[in-house]
Amino acid sequence: MATIKDVARKAGVSTATVSAVMNDTAFVSPELRARVVTAIRELRYEPSLAARNLRRSRSQLIALAVADLSNPFYARIVWSAEAAVAAWGYSLVLFNSDEKPDTERRILSRIRTLGCDGMVLVPVGAANQYQPHEFEGIATVLLGRSIEGNSADTVTIDNWAAGRQAVDYLLDLGHRRIGSITGPMQLSTSKGRHDGMIDAMAARGLAPQPGHVRSGEFREEAAYSVARDMMGSPDRPTAIYVANGVMAIGVMRAIADLGLRCPQDVSIASTDTVAGAGGLKPRLTRTEHPIADMTNEALRLLVDRIEERGSEPVRNIVFQPALIVGESCMPLRANVG
Amino acid sequence: MATIKDVARKAGVSTATVSAVMNDTAFVSPELRARVVTAIRELRYEPSLAARNLRRSRSQLIALAVADLSNPFYARIVWSAEAAVAAWGYSLVLFNSDEKPDTERRILSRIRTLGCDGMVLVPVGAANQYQPHEFEGIATVLLGRSIEGNSADTVTIDNWAAGRQAVDYLLDLGHRRIGSITGPMQLSTSKGRHDGMIDAMAARGLAPQPGHVRSGEFREEAAYSVARDMMGSPDRPTAIYVANGVMAIGVMRAIADLGLRCPQDVSIASTDTVAGAGGLKPRLTRTEHPIADMTNEALRLLVDRIEERGSEPVRNIVFQPALIVGESCMPLRANVG
DNA sequence: AGACTTCAGCGAAACGATTAGCTATCGGAG
DNA sequence: CTCCGATAGCTAATCGTTTCGCTGAAGTCT
């Protein structure tokens, strides 16, 4: 691989001039410029990012660490993020913490070592697992989940509103015995959606039965077994709010396996987008996140921080969920419950 | 950010010693080692990859360029690849060529500039769009699709067998009027699956009607409109082979919108995995790729090339598809067709 | 004409690590 | 007591860029 010195020698100029031509950082006479350009072309010279970055202490890399790559929700984020990162002139380094705080810790250290200019993180740990200065020295935007007491920029949805919207919808259909299946309570997403659900019921003077409020891992299998358990008992709920799309799939499978029908026997409403949105039957009634918008916004904030090296105040952007009515809910009938 | 010099100063040793401790590359007395380790911890020192890589001329980066990040098939590859790359001690830089040769060209140049140690590429262009030495100087494994006449390692599936298996299955159910919807013919995947389909029919002395063999973009929308067109005519096929999971979703949607039922009115068999495998109804009968195995194998080959800097012979690994029977096909009945 | 600007282009010092080669110390052999 | 080999640890060169500060030629002003 040719280096800048080879180019300089071949063009009969100094390396400084070559650099100036490459970066348009100083005026170079047309004649010299032409010689340099020719030399670059003939030698097939490509500047070494390693050297350039060492010098500039930038890497042109943006890291994205998501919580679970097997979840289509995050796959969607990855898709949007790749496009946004490329559009801003960076490249995307992808990590999957797989919902494991230990893995996340390793990833954060790796991101530092790589010298990424910034990172978008979907944190997987409880707030107290992070040092106060955990993200110091590297531009950071938390996406989807926030960490209480942390000073990084965040882009999230209004989880409380999502839970409230979905459960209000079920209540409007006449359901009273409503269950919920959410993720780990130490995550801001689970907590918010759960609270929204509770508050929606409380607003009508209701409260879910103790056994009807469950939480578990944000995974299909976890949701499946919780749902089987909850729906197996005779006083099962007539409607369920499921906090996440992948879990909703597990719940629907559990219901089918129990010989129940959705929505005839049990209504299901969930939050967040769903795998195979086009093909799932019945289509889920759900509150959707504007994933692409959120991701784009996160990267806009991040690039802003990176390039301004800014001491701007912390920004917390909250997106509102939108209720999308599918076919997975129906009004409560007398013969059910 | 602390540098190796800061650590050396704080520990009262030379930078060489710090480096030796970090890399375990020379014997260091327990006492000094302890001092160094303490200093590293206290300063929260993380070595700069930029500097290290400049020196070692390696980047610890492996690039993955897939054809379409919105396709769950590639999302699945990304998932597996991230895990494999991390397991080998590298980090993953992700690119999406979005099935556009121009974008792919830019990506390849970017990968060079970044100095990635190797790349896994799902090529999107026709064979003649690549220079003979296109991938010279960077370890490369082509995944899923191959480029005729190119000397890179490849990991693919036997597309011909996939098409043949699926269509043999339809033939065994008694179908004779079988249509196919595949992707662009310049791609090895489309071509192979299409040929397998034709050969399966030819083996029984059959051939598809001209209007029943269609190809288009590997996307849901493209498949939807092609399917609507094909299934709208009175002599429509009784079964369709769809070359890809995303397209299958489009086809099923088209069928539903035409008021037809699957599998009662038309059987559908496809190749490759499907979005929302858990939730789609009816579940597709399909030939599946062992995506995780393929991806792991691709990375094994790649790391092998990177670390051996090897002149080993070119390796072409071909995986066999497996027929998974769902509920999207049924035997041909007299009243159909 | 002399003094002062301007500015194209160059030389060399960074950036932060690795590593070849050297120095100094120590123990043991002659 | 000297000399030698072994070896822990240091010095300094190096990787390929960017960039600060300098040089000297040309242009401008009085």
Side-chain angles (χ1 to χ4, degrees), chain A residues 72-90:
Chain A
F73 175 72
Y74 293 110
R76 184 74 181 71
I77 288 181
V78 169
W79 171 24
S80 300
E82 193 278 339
V85 164
W88 287 105
Y90 294 79

Side-chain angles (χ1 to χ4, degrees), chain A residues 122-142:
Chain A
V122 180
V124 301
N128 60 18
Q129 291 176 3
Y130 298 89
Q131 319 244 351
H133 303 296
E134 190 80 41
F135 307 130
E136 199 171 69
I138 175 166
T140 303
V141 172
L142 302 178

Side-chain angles (χ1 to χ4, degrees), chain A:
Chain A
M1 205 62 169
T3 76
I4 198 173
K5 278 187 198 149
D6 301 324
V7 176
R9 198 175 319 121
K10 178 147 194 163
V13 300
S14 75
T15 62
T17 303
V18 178
S19 178
V21 169
M22 301 269 318
N23 303 298
D24 238 350
T25 176
F27 184 87
V28 176
S29 69
E31 188 206 356
L32 279 203
R33 157 168 263 116
R35 295 221 308 267
V36 170
V37 168
T38 309
I40 288 176
R41 183 147 18 88
E42 287 182 359
L43 292 173
R44 289 235 200 95
Y45 166 68
E46 303 251 10
S48 145
L49 256 210
R52 169 176 291 177
N53 291 338
L54 173 59
R55 188 54 232 244
R56 290 190 180 160
S57 58
R58 295 195 41 210
S59 67
Q60 314 229 58
L61 258 27
I62 284 180
L64 170 65
V66 299
D68 178 11
L69 261 184
S70 72
N71 184 332
F73 175 72
Y74 293 110
R76 184 74 181 71
I77 288 181
V78 169
W79 171 24
S80 300
E82 193 278 339
V85 164
W88 287 105
Y90 294 79
S91 297
L92 182 74
V93 189
L94 180 66
F95 298 93
N96 179 17
S97 58
D98 206 26
E99 299 281 11
K100 301 196 185 89
D102 277 359
T103 306
E104 183 180 272
R105 207 183 310 281
R106 273 196 298 277
I107 290 172
L108 289 176
S109 143
R110 178 85 186 162
I111 289 174
R112 286 208 125 81
T113 317
L114 281 171
C116 294
D117 294 337
M119 67 175 169
V120 174
L121 176 68
V122 180
V124 301
N128 60 18
Q129 291 176 3
Y130 298 89
Q131 319 244 351
H133 303 296
E134 190 80 41
F135 307 130
E136 199 171 69
I138 175 166
T140 303
V141 172
L142 302 178
L143 178 62
R145 301 173 183 173
S146 57
I147 300 175
E148 208 166 329
N150 194 282
S151 61
D153 291 335
T154 63
V155 173
T156 53
I157 62 156
D158 187 337
N159 288 293
W160 184 87
R164 169 117 202 198
Q165 266 184 28
V167 173
D168 268 339
Y169 179 77
L170 294 172
L171 289 163
D172 288 344
L173 289 175
H175 292 279
R176 290 298 173 262
R177 200 145 15 104
I178 301 176
S180 76
I181 298 179
T182 58
M185 275 305 159
Q186 72 265 28
L187 298 182
S188 59
T189 45
S190 301
K191 183 79 167 56
R193 292 172 202 178
H194 171 264
D195 289 352
M197 184 253 185
I198 298 294
D199 290 352
M201 293 190 71
R204 314 216 187 181
L206 300 167
Q209 294 184 24
H212 288 176
V213 176
R214 307 289 190 89
S215 65
E217 270 190 301
F218 263 147
R219 306 214 193 238
E220 182 177 338
E221 284 315 312
Y224 176 86
S225 57
V226 165
R228 260 200 100 114
D229 186 45
M230 182 159 90
M231 299 307 289
S233 81
D235 69 338
R236 63 167 188 264
T238 65
I240 313 179
Y241 169 60
V242 189
N244 141 321
V246 168
M247 297 180 93
I249 290 180
V251 171
M252 287 180 78
R253 194 155 52 80
I255 285 170
D257 287 359
L258 283 168
L260 299 171
R261 290 158 308 160
C262 168
Q264 292 86 346
D265 299 315
V266 54
S267 291
I268 296 183
S270 80
T271 283
D272 120 30
T273 48
V274 163
L280 198 66
K281 287 267 169 67
R283 278 179 301 194
L284 271 175
T285 292
R286 62 204 182 271
T287 61
E288 276 208 346
H289 305 188
I291 302 185
D293 293 345
M294 290 176 62
T295 308
N296 287 335
E297 182 66 12
L299 280 153
R300 206 183 59 71
L301 290 188
L302 186 65
V303 170
D304 203 47
R305 275 257 183 260
I306 291 173
E307 298 184 352
E308 308 268 337
R309 315 217 139 278
S311 48
E312 303 149 55
V314 175
R315 289 158 299 185
N316 297 295
I317 313 284
V318 178
F319 280 77
Q320 287 303 318
L323 183 73
I324 311 285
V325 176
E327 300 120 18
S328 66
C329 299
M330 61 187 293
L332 181 69
R333 297 171 314 176
N335 65 329
V336 176

Side-chain angles (χ1 to χ4, degrees), chain B residues 146-219:
Chain B
S146 56
I147 300 175
E148 209 166 327
N150 196 281
S151 62
D153 292 334
T154 63
V155 174
T156 52
I157 62 155
D158 187 337
N159 288 294
W160 184 87
R164 169 116 202 197
Q165 266 183 28
V167 174
D168 268 340
Y169 179 77
L170 294 173
L171 289 163
D172 288 345
L173 289 176
H175 292 278
R176 290 298 172 262
R177 198 144 16 104
I178 301 176
S180 76
I181 297 179
T182 58
M185 275 305 158
Q186 72 265 29
L187 298 182
S188 59
T189 45
S190 300
K191 183 79 168 57
R193 291 172 203 178
H194 170 264
D195 290 352
M197 185 254 183
I198 298 294
D199 290 352
M201 294 190 72
R204 314 217 186 179
L206 301 168
Q209 294 183 23
H212 289 176
V213 176
R214 306 291 189 89
S215 64
E217 271 191 300
F218 264 148
R219 308 216 190 234

